[in-house]
């Protein structure tokens, strides 16, 4: 069973002469419970795919399915109970005037939960924040703590699928490790399906089982993480990307 | 003689809580080498780089026994003399070229201006500019000179910045996360250019970065900063044998392509790391 | 960075700690705490505090006018006409009908505050509503709302207010309505500009992914961020509003005699400006001081409320 199916997806911005094709003819499928990576450089369209799935970008064509059900132009509340997203920059994804309590409380109320108080405490515990953080405002939190709140918000409706848009690229490496471990644990505990977007092949290698390499809006190659680690790639672009990711080698 | 010598550097910011020390007693020297300064955000690595150019904005204060640039103590210099040091003897490359280039001047005009300022005459400025753009691997230099900064990609912008900074032939280059905003493939290219220019001209380089692997591969020597202090210093190629628990923790928290692990190691911060005096970073 | 220190005396430290705690235990404590921190920032700005104290003084003056005013502001004493400053029983002199200028100024504070409060309520709310709806909805809604705003903006404020008052009839309530109607377009502009940046933010995208509709997003997510810059702007505009009200009063279209409205008082004093300068100057000074106080406070509020700094 596929959690996500994408076929011939095209996404563009603007109209007429200003039309900018961000994603061209992309197809991939993610199995339930799998962790799938989308890798590419900036502007390759990887984040745009996530935004198209969640309905944040209205201009797309092709076919997108969640758990076998095709997506239309609008998204239902039921959709948001199934699919949630964690954004790249935790400094931009939390409302500066809303406390942690407001952020989580609002998400829970929107999804029709009654026992909001208990659930907020549960969510905070799940993402490794104590109850002490409940009434803090974003400016009183560090980057890692903010990202934990953002993850808690995404978990609030108890989704099956989590879309992760570079969730650690704005964080220090030691904090990145904490967040990646947290995401690994959450997936194991809740049986989540992940789609993770990143420019960092090592992060994708750590988090995912399969990945697709993107360049200029197209998927160049799909491969397993084992293949990636072994540098078994047929595409020159993937090879080049892998080589530069392995680190800088000095000219002698 | 070392190009730069810093002795007991403190950078202080007054806050409502009292004084916040961003850099706490850092000492090091720089020869004709590449010195990496690594650390996480808030470790004081950027502040150290800016302090050498006296670029800390008030109310921040720089204090040190001395900060010598080729033997001259910059703390005793007037703002006017300082302007000659910046750019002429020490150049700085920042993370995002978008904020360092003037948006309403063509790239060519900006480089020519930099050249005129450095050499006092416009003669040969154009040829030198083209030469410099060529040195940073910009192929259609003529077209790039007529372009405005916003028409440049990130990697192109950063190469132009490097070209501009190299024109006065400075003896030291301070690069503050010069490639963090760039894609990996472009990163390699920019680094390669910097690499070549620094070795050809025998310059000293201070390379400030959060990326341990990069610093380890790119530099000769590394200072590891934590909470405003240098906790460890070592040869860059031996970084992976570093001993300080903080350095080890950072290294272990990185996911690696060649060595998969089920869980990443999480850094447990020891308050004692910020206590002891800075390690001297002199070669 | 924690931005807290020990301010004030020992006795207050319990409260202070409760307010400044990094780990508030309830929604209320968190909210009051963040207000308190804004207050501490404001308090460090001496000019803003100076402005604030003048305004507090003005409010007290208005509340206790009957107790503070030495005389009845309407009581005429034709025997004591146009007395100079410092006359016996008339510290700021008297006007052409022998009324005590000081008492009239004190009662006038009530009218000034009434105008200011009502305009400050109406104009920004209309502006906020129009601006955020236009900014968030975009498309033709935006075009229509903003063109209406442009039309209002194209007239000089006082002239437009004059036209309204002429149509509605002279009087203080109509003056307030007229000023409000001319004052909202700049707020709509500001609110729209802010909305355009805010709507692209990730936190708006995040709440859309929770299934929130446009109404909730505008009222709960966009308004709180626009309101602070509007408050700043209103405070800074207050001087202009007082002056517009005074201008209407001066032209005889605002508060009607014998009401001690400051603008109307200047208007009455105009006839004697050369020989009896204080009759027009004293209310003029009052307008000046209060306008200045609002400007100083507005400047300080900008430091506290500017949402661009709130995240840092």
């Amino acid at each position: 069973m596929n959690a996500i199916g994408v076929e011939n997806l095209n996404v563009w911005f603007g109209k007429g002469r200003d039309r900018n094709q961000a994603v061209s003819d992309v197809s991939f499928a993610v199995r339930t419970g799998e962790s799938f990576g989308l890798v590419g450089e900036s502007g390759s369209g990887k984040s745009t795919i996530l935004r198209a799935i969640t309905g944040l970008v209205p201009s797309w064509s092709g076919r997108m399915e969640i758990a076998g059900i095709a997506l239309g132009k609008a998204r239902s509340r039921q959709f948001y109970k199934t699919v949630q997203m964690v954004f790249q920059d935790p400094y931009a994804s939390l409302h500066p005037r809303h406390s942690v309590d407001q952020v989580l409380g609002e998400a829970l109320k929107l999804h029709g939960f009654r026992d909001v108080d208990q659930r907020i405490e549960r969510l905070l515990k799940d993402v490794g924040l104590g109850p002490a953080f409940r009434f803090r405002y974003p400016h009183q939190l560090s980057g890692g703590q903010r990202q934990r709140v953002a993850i808690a918000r995404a978990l609030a409706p108890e989704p099956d699928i989590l879309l992760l848009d570079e969730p650690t690229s704005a964080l220090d490496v030691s904090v990145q490790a904490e967040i990646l471990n947290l995401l690994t644990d959450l997936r194991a505990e809740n049986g989540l399906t992940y789609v993770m977007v990143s420019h960092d092949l090592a992060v994708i290698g750590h988090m995912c089982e399969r990945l697709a390499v993107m360049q200029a809006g197209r998927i160049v190659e799909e491969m397993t993480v084992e293949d990636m680690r072994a540098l078994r790639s047929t595409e020159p672009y993937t090879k080049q990307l892998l080589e530069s990711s392995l680190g800088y080698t000095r000219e002698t | 003689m070392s190009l730069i010598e810093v002795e007991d550097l403190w950078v202080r910011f007054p806050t409502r809580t009292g004084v916040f020390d961003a850099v706490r007693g850092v000492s090091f020297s720089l020869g004709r080498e590449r010195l990496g300064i690594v650390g996480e955000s808030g470790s004081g690595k950027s502040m150290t780089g800016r302090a050498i150019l006296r670029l800390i904005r008030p109310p921040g204060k720089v204090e040190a026994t001395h900060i010598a640039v080729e033997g001259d103590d910059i703390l005793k210099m007037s703002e006017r003399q300082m302007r000659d040091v910046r750019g002429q003897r020490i150049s700085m490359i920042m993370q995002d070229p978008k904020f360092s280039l003037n948006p309403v001047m063509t790239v060519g005009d900006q480089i020519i201006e930099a050249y005129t300022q450095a050499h006092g005459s416009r003669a040969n400025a154009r040829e030198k500019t083209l030469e410099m753009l060529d040195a940073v691997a910009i192929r259609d230099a003529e077209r790039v000179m007529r372009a405005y900064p916003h028409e440049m990609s990130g990697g192109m912008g950063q190469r132009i910045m490097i070209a501009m900074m190299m024109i006065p032939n400075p003896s030291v280059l301070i690069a503050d996360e010069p490639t963090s905003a760039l894609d990996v493939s472009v990163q390699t290219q920019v680094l390669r250019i910097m690499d070549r220019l620094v070795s050809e001209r025998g310059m000293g380089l201070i390379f400030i970065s959060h990326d341990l692997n990069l610093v380890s591969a790119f530099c000769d020597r590394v200072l590891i900063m934590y909470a405003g202090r240098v906790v460890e210093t070592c040869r860059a190629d031996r970084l992976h044998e570093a001993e300080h628990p903080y350095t080890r923790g950072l290294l272990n928290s990185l996911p690696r392509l060649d060595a998969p692990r089920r869980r990443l190691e999480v850094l447990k911060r020891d308050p004692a790391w910020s206590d002891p005096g800075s390690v001297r970073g002199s070669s | 960075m924690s931005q807290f220190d020990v301010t004030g005396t020992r006795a207050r430290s319990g409260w202070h700690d409760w307010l400044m705690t990094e780990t508030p235990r309830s929604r209320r404590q968190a909210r009051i705490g963040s207000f308190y921190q804004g207050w501490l920032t404001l308090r460090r700005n001496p000019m803003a505090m100076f402005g604030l104290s003048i305004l507090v003084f003005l409010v007290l003056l208005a509340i206790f006018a009957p107790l503070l005013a030495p005389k009845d502001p309407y009581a005429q004493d034709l025997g004591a006409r146009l007395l100079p400053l410092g006359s016996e029983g008339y510290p700021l002199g008297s006007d052409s009908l022998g009324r005590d200028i000081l008492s009239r100024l004190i009662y006038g504070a009530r009218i000034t505050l009434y105008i200011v409060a009502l305009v400050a309520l109406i104009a920004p709310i209309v502006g906020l509503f129009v601006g955020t709806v236009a900014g968030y909805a975009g498309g033709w809604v935006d075009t229509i709302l903003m063109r209406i705003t442009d039309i209002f903006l194209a007239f000089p404020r006082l002239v437009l207010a004059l036209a309204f008052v002429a149509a509605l009839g002279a009087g203080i309530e109509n003056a307030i309505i007229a000023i409000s109607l001319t004052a909202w377009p700049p707020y709509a502009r500001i609110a729209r500009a802010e909305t355009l940046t805010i709507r692209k933010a990730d936190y708006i995208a995040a709440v859309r992914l929770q299934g929130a509709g446009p109404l909730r997003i505008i009222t709960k997510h966009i308004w709180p961020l626009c309101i602070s810059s509007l408050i700043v702007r209103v405070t800074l505009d207050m001087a202009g509003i007082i002056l517009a009200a005074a201008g209407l009063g001066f032209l005889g279209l605002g508060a009607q005699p014998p009401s001690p409205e400051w603008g109307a008082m200047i208007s009455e004093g105009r006839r004697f400006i050369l020989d009896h300068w204080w009759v027009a100057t004293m209310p003029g000074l009052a307008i000046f001081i209060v306008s200045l106080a609002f400007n100083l406070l507005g400047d300080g509020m900008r430091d506290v409320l500017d949402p661009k700094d709130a995240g840092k």
Side-chain angles (χ1 to χ4, degrees):
Chain A
M1 170 87 171
N2 283 339
I4 301 174
V6 172
E7 273 169 58
N8 303 322
L9 178 69
N10 283 282
V11 185
W12 59 92
F13 297 106
K15 282 185 253 190
R17 257 185 355 154
D18 296 331
R19 179 167 154 143
N20 170 17
Q21 189 79 16
V23 176
S24 320
D25 261 335
V26 161
S27 305
F28 65 92
V30 183
R31 283 187 293 276
T32 305
E34 191 186 21
S35 178
F36 185 80
L38 282 171
V39 179
E41 307 199 316
S42 53
S44 62
K46 53 194 192 311
S47 297
T48 310
I49 293 179
L50 296 194
R51 289 184 169 256
I53 294 175
T54 50
L56 292 173
V57 185
S59 49
W60 59 273
S61 68
R63 187 175 170 82
M64 294 194 283
E65 285 180 2
I66 297 295
I69 301 159
L71 296 176
K73 286 290 164 200
R75 300 285 179 278
S76 64
R77 198 155 277 190
Q78 192 53 42
F79 170 84
Y80 293 126
K81 263 182 165 323
T82 316
V83 182
Q84 277 294 323
M85 176 152 154
V86 177
F87 292 84
Q88 173 176 7
D89 183 359
Y91 289 89
S93 71
L94 294 180
H95 194 286
R97 290 284 158 88
H98 287 182
S99 66
V100 174
D101 176 70
Q102 277 168 288
V103 169
L104 299 180
E106 176 171 44
L108 289 165
K109 277 177 214 147
L110 278 166
H111 289 286
F113 291 110
R114 288 280 165 73
D115 47 346
V116 171
D117 275 318
Q118 290 97 298
R119 276 178 183 270
I120 289 177
E121 281 177 18
R122 259 266 315 286
L123 284 170
L124 285 176
K125 207 171 112 245
D126 287 349
V127 296
L129 294 172
F133 289 90
R134 182 165 168 191
F135 298 104
R136 290 204 197 174
Y137 287 90
H139 65 89
Q140 295 167 314
L141 303 174
S142 68
Q145 289 164 347
R146 285 172 185 230
Q147 198 58 301
R148 284 171 193 268
V149 174
I151 292 171
R153 171 178 59 195
L155 291 176
E158 303 181 334
D160 304 322
I161 301 168
L162 218 49
L163 308 178
L164 305 162
D165 185 4
E166 306 239 21
T168 58
S169 67
L171 306 174
D172 277 324
V173 282
S174 62
V175 183
Q176 163 171 293
E178 293 172 20
I179 298 291
L180 292 182
N181 282 344
L182 171 68
L183 288 169
T184 309
D185 295 345
L186 288 170
R187 183 169 157 234
E189 283 162 27
N190 305 316
L192 296 167
T193 306
Y194 283 172
V195 178
M196 186 171 197
V197 158
S198 180
H199 66 277
D200 189 332
L201 290 173
V203 168
I204 291 289
H206 178 74
M207 293 295 293
C208 303
E209 286 115 44
R210 271 186 329 124
L211 65 137
V213 180
M214 291 195 65
Q215 184 195 17
R218 294 177 188 279
I219 290 186
V220 199
E221 188 172 9
E222 249 188 80
M223 63 203 307
T224 63
V225 162
E226 287 69 41
D227 284 343
M228 177 176 81
R229 285 192 202 286
L231 310 182
R232 279 194 297 268
S233 158
T234 49
E235 290 295 322
Y237 178 74
T238 316
K239 277 195 184 132
Q240 183 207 332
L241 204 63
L242 275 167
E243 269 158 29
S244 17
S245 300
L246 282 175
Y248 183 76
T249 40
R250 220 156 131 171
E251 286 174 333
T252 41
Chain B
M1 184 179 61
S2 17
L3 296 171
I4 290 185
E5 227 177 88
V6 175
E7 182 73 38
D8 198 23
L9 169 71
W10 290 73
V11 178
R12 296 193 160 105
F13 289 90
T15 67
R16 233 190 278 170
T17 353
V19 179
F20 172 71
D21 298 322
V23 178
R24 306 184 297 155
V26 165
S27 307
F28 66 90
S29 66
L30 173 82
R32 297 192 186 282
E33 58 174 339
R34 298 135 198 248
L35 177 67
I37 303 184
V38 278
E40 296 186 284
S41 50
S43 61
K45 56 186 192 305
S46 291
M47 288 297 168
T48 306
R50 295 176 149 266
I52 296 170
L53 286 171
R54 281 197 10 211
L55 285 174
I56 307 284
R57 289 212 186 90
K61 274 204 193 76
V62 179
E63 286 165 29
T65 314
H66 63 254
I67 302 176
V69 174
E70 295 170 303
D72 306 326
D73 191 348
I74 63 148
L75 291 177
K76 296 201 178 77
M77 288 183 185
S78 66
E79 194 47 42
R80 206 193 155 84
Q81 289 170 306
M82 224 22 241
R83 250 176 281 160
D84 287 334
V85 170
R86 288 182 208 130
Q88 300 294 322
R89 293 157 77 178
I90 309 177
S91 282
M92 187 153 184
I93 298 173
M94 311 271 198
Q95 179 170 345
D96 200 334
K98 279 196 200 87
F99 300 117
S100 318
L101 291 169
N102 184 344
V104 294
M105 250 171 113
T106 62
V107 168
D109 285 349
Q110 290 186 58
I111 306 182
I112 288 174
E113 192 185 88
Y115 179 87
T116 319
Q117 242 166 25
H119 299 275
S121 84
R122 288 186 80 89
N124 307 329
R126 217 183 139 71
E127 290 89 278
K128 281 283 167 202
T129 302
L130 286 171
E131 211 172 279
M132 217 44 241
L133 287 175
D134 190 54
V136 293
I138 287 175
R139 264 160 254 124
D140 43 354
E142 289 281 354
R143 189 186 64 81
V144 168
M145 280 185 69
R146 283 194 306 271
Y148 286 91
H150 68 92
E151 300 170 67
M152 304 282 107
S153 67
M156 187 86 102
Q158 202 59 301
R159 280 184 281 160
I160 291 166
M161 269 323 284
I162 294 174
M164 253 171 93
M165 291 302 154
M166 289 293 181
I167 276 191
N169 226 342
S171 42
V172 176
L173 183 65
I174 300 177
D176 189 353
E177 306 262 10
T179 56
S180 316
L182 308 178
D183 282 324
V184 268
S185 53
V186 188
Q187 234 173 50
T188 316
Q189 191 186 18
V190 170
L191 288 170
R192 189 115 18 241
I193 290 162
M194 230 159 69
D195 196 346
R196 197 172 305 143
L197 286 171
V198 167
S199 15
E200 276 171 14
R201 302 181 175 213
M203 296 165 60
L205 172 73
I206 297 181
F207 190 88
I208 299 167
S209 175
H210 68 280
D211 190 333
L212 285 98
N213 287 328
L214 178 59
V215 168
S216 156
F218 190 76
C219 297
D220 302 315
R221 210 152 56 84
V222 186
L223 307 180
I224 294 109
M225 285 192 72
Y226 179 77
R229 289 176 187 267
V230 177
V231 291
E232 187 170 17
T233 168
C234 65
R235 272 181 54 181
D237 50 358
R238 300 257 174 85
L239 183 62
H240 290 269
E241 300 154 31
E243 277 160 14
H244 195 278
Y246 174 67
T247 321
R248 290 240 56 85
L250 277 188
L251 286 167
N252 289 333
S253 62
L254 279 170
R256 289 176 60 177
L257 264 184
D258 46 348
R261 265 173 301 179
R262 231 195 64 71
R263 287 185 73 79
L264 298 168
E265 212 164 289
V266 169
L267 188 66
K268 286 188 193 61
R269 287 162 205 275
D270 184 344
W273 295 345
S274 40
D275 287 345
S278 270
V279 176
R280 289 192 70 86
S282 305
S283 47
Chain C
M1 187 176 61
S2 68
Q3 55 276 68
F4 317 130
D5 65 346
V6 182
T7 8
T9 52
R10 286 269 155 245
R12 274 183 51 210
S13 77
W15 276 102
H16 181 82
D17 291 347
W18 186 80
L19 286 165
M20 298 303 283
T21 177
E22 289 262 280
T23 55
R25 272 180 294 277
S26 69
R27 268 160 226 175
R28 206 164 55 95
Q29 188 183 359
R31 198 157 296 161
I32 299 173
S34 69
F35 265 111
Y36 183 64
Q37 279 168 41
W39 164 242
L40 287 186
T41 314
L42 187 68
R43 222 177 52 172
R44 280 187 311 167
N45 182 337
M47 293 316 279
M49 289 316 287
F50 178 65
L52 182 67
S53 37
I54 290 176
L55 296 177
V56 169
F57 179 70
L58 183 75
V59 171
L60 293 177
L61 216 56
I63 295 172
F64 298 110
L67 299 177
L68 293 169
K71 289 200 166 63
D72 181 342
Y74 301 107
Q76 302 180 2
D77 181 355
L78 293 177
R81 294 176 63 223
L82 299 168
L83 292 177
L85 298 186
S87 304
E88 179 77 43
Y90 297 91
L92 295 182
S94 67
D95 68 6
S96 59
L97 297 173
R99 295 173 294 198
D100 179 29
I101 291 180
L102 177 64
S103 305
R104 287 178 68 75
L105 284 182
I106 293 174
Y107 274 91
R110 290 183 158 186
I111 301 174
T112 303
L113 279 176
Y114 177 64
I115 297 173
V116 159
L118 274 178
V119 174
L121 273 179
I122 300 169
I125 290 177
V126 174
L128 181 67
F129 190 80
V130 172
T132 48
V133 169
Y136 190 75
W140 60 267
V141 178
D142 184 27
T143 311
I144 292 176
L145 286 176
M146 290 329 283
R147 290 306 79 77
I148 294 174
T149 311
D150 287 343
I151 292 169
F152 273 90
L153 271 176
F155 287 99
R157 178 186 273 195
L158 200 59
V159 174
L160 191 59
L162 271 175
F164 276 117
V165 174
L168 298 168
I172 189 127
E173 280 78 16
N174 288 343
I176 291 169
I177 295 171
I179 295 170
S180 305
L181 279 172
T182 57
W184 67 266
Y187 302 120
R189 276 280 180 87
I190 296 171
R192 176 173 175 270
E194 296 236 340
T195 308
L196 287 181
T197 35
I198 295 168
R199 66 184 274 211
K200 287 197 212 99
D202 278 352
Y203 51 82
I204 299 297
V207 75
R208 277 174 67 190
L209 295 194
Q210 302 293 347
L215 187 68
R216 168 179 282 267
I217 292 175
I218 289 177
T219 55
K220 296 233 164 144
H221 293 256
I222 295 179
W223 280 6
L225 290 173
C226 292
I227 282 174
S228 33
S229 53
L230 286 189
I231 290 178
V232 171
R233 186 63 203 263
V234 170
T235 321
L236 290 171
D237 280 353
M238 221 41 113
I241 291 167
I242 294 173
L243 291 176
L248 286 178
F250 179 82
L251 294 171
L253 295 168
Q256 296 300 306
S259 149
E261 199 268 331
W262 295 348
M265 285 170 72
I266 299 180
S267 172
E268 285 167 36
R270 176 185 48 156
R271 284 178 286 148
F272 321 103
I273 190 108
L274 291 178
D275 303 325
H276 311 284
W277 55 271
W278 59 90
V279 181
T281 308
M282 287 306 131
L285 268 178
I287 292 171
F288 164 71
I289 291 171
V290 174
S291 306
L292 181 70
F294 270 113
N295 269 335
L296 292 176
L297 180 66
D299 245 6
M301 300 270 273
R302 197 198 324 252
D303 298 340
V304 179
L305 288 174
D306 195 335
K308 276 152 214 101
D309 298 328
K312 287 172 196 157

